[in-house]
Amino acid sequence: MAAQAVAKAESGNPLAWVQNKQKAAGAALQTWIKKQPPYVEVAVATFGGATQGGVLGGVMGTMSKMSPPPPNGAAGPLAGGQSGMSTMMGGPLTQARNFAVMTGTHALIGTTIKKLRNGVEDVKGNMAASFGSGACFSLVSGVGGPNPIPNAISTGVVFALFQGAFYQIGKQFSKGKKGDGAAVDAAYFRTDQMLETLGLVKYKKNFRRGMLSDTTLPLLTDSALHEVHVPAGPRLLILDHARTYKNYYKQDLAKRAVLLPKDQ
């Protein structure tokens, strides 16, 4: 009944329905992964990274094949640029392999380091993963020429430096945009988690407008959700979830009481 109500409520926007389904599937996958041994998460992340890289490499290889030849059979710089690079990198399958190795290695190293450091993700871990992916890309693609090991090391260093710079720049931008948002997000941590699990992330703003934070999860009522303009279908799903995990949320709030501000 609840699922049918949600489908009816969102039937007017198929794109939103697809996006919510994708997010719900992603949240369900993440929940399942967290219950598995660490090596399962590493394997899934590596497979996902390699798959994305393989698709990207295949597309790039296909596009390079479709590029027009140099005019009038030109030689020299005109012939040695893009076609020379295409020859060095190979066709679609070769580029798919190269990029799959690069992104898969990055995911493997990055996820492994993150698990070993109990979930800590920082510039050092990102640079280490980028070094490994750059070195492996150099070796498998053959761009190192007659000196593969030294060139693999230098390529890895370049990858690591670029990744470190981009990571630090992104971190500074995110700090400037968030401001006091980190404290606010902490107060809605379980609320956001619930909405993501149910595929209802579009209603995060509604919860914030009504100040329905984690402390209110065990107290949610139909009228409270109605006041923040959550449609009937999603209300049923949210209330069912809140009732099912009511005791869990109470215990979680008790554990976090010493960390959260008294007014949240």
Side-chain angles (χ1 to χ4, degrees), residues 66-254:
M66 296 169 60
S67 300
N72 301 323
L78 289 176
Q82 188 174 5
S83 84
M85 179 62 70
S86 177
T87 302
M88 178 182 69
M89 297 292 291
L93 292 179
T94 302
Q95 292 200 39
R97 178 202 64 191
N98 296 344
F99 278 82
V101 169
M102 180 179 68
T103 54
T105 302
H106 189 281
L108 170 64
I109 298 175
T111 308
T112 301
I113 292 176
K114 186 176 179 180
K115 296 301 292 184
L116 291 175
R117 301 178 67 190
N118 296 320
V120 175
E121 185 176 3
D122 57 12
V123 64
K124 295 179 181 179
N126 277 270
M127 289 181 70
S130 296
F131 174 84
S133 64
C136 288
F137 177 79
S138 176
L139 291 172
V140 75
S141 64
V143 297
N147 299 305
I149 302 301
N151 279 284
I153 295 175
S154 61
T155 302
V157 170
V158 171
F159 271 54
L161 291 176
F162 271 105
Q163 178 62 27
F166 284 129
Y167 183 89
Q168 291 296 90
I169 293 173
K171 190 174 181 181
Q172 292 300 320
F173 272 108
S174 63
K175 280 184 178 179
K177 290 181 179 180
K178 284 183 179 179
D180 296 331
V184 175
D185 289 341
Y188 290 88
F189 176 74
R190 295 298 180 192
T191 303
D192 290 346
Q193 189 179 58
M194 173 191 69
L195 294 174
E196 289 170 1
T197 301
L198 297 175
L200 302 174
V201 291
K202 62 187 292 185
Y203 299 113
K204 285 184 178 181
K205 293 181 179 179
N206 302 62
F207 273 73
R208 281 162 170 75
R209 280 198 297 266
M211 299 178 66
L212 299 177
S213 61
D214 292 355
T215 56
T216 66
L217 281 178
L219 309 173
L220 284 179
T221 62
D222 184 79
S223 60
L225 294 174
H226 185 270
E227 286 183 11
V228 296
H229 305 295
V230 177
R235 287 206 306 270
L236 292 174
L237 287 178
I238 292 169
L239 290 172
D240 179 68
H241 180 94
R243 281 193 296 267
T244 302
Y245 295 97
K246 184 175 182 178
N247 291 333
Y248 169 79
Y249 288 136
K250 286 184 175 180
Q251 294 173 3
D252 182 65
L253 288 171

Side-chain angles (χ1 to χ4, degrees), residues 38-60:
Y39 65 84
V40 174
E41 182 175 351
V42 173
V44 172
T46 303
F47 177 77
T51 301
Q52 292 178 352
V55 172
L56 175 62
V59 171
M60 292 181 63

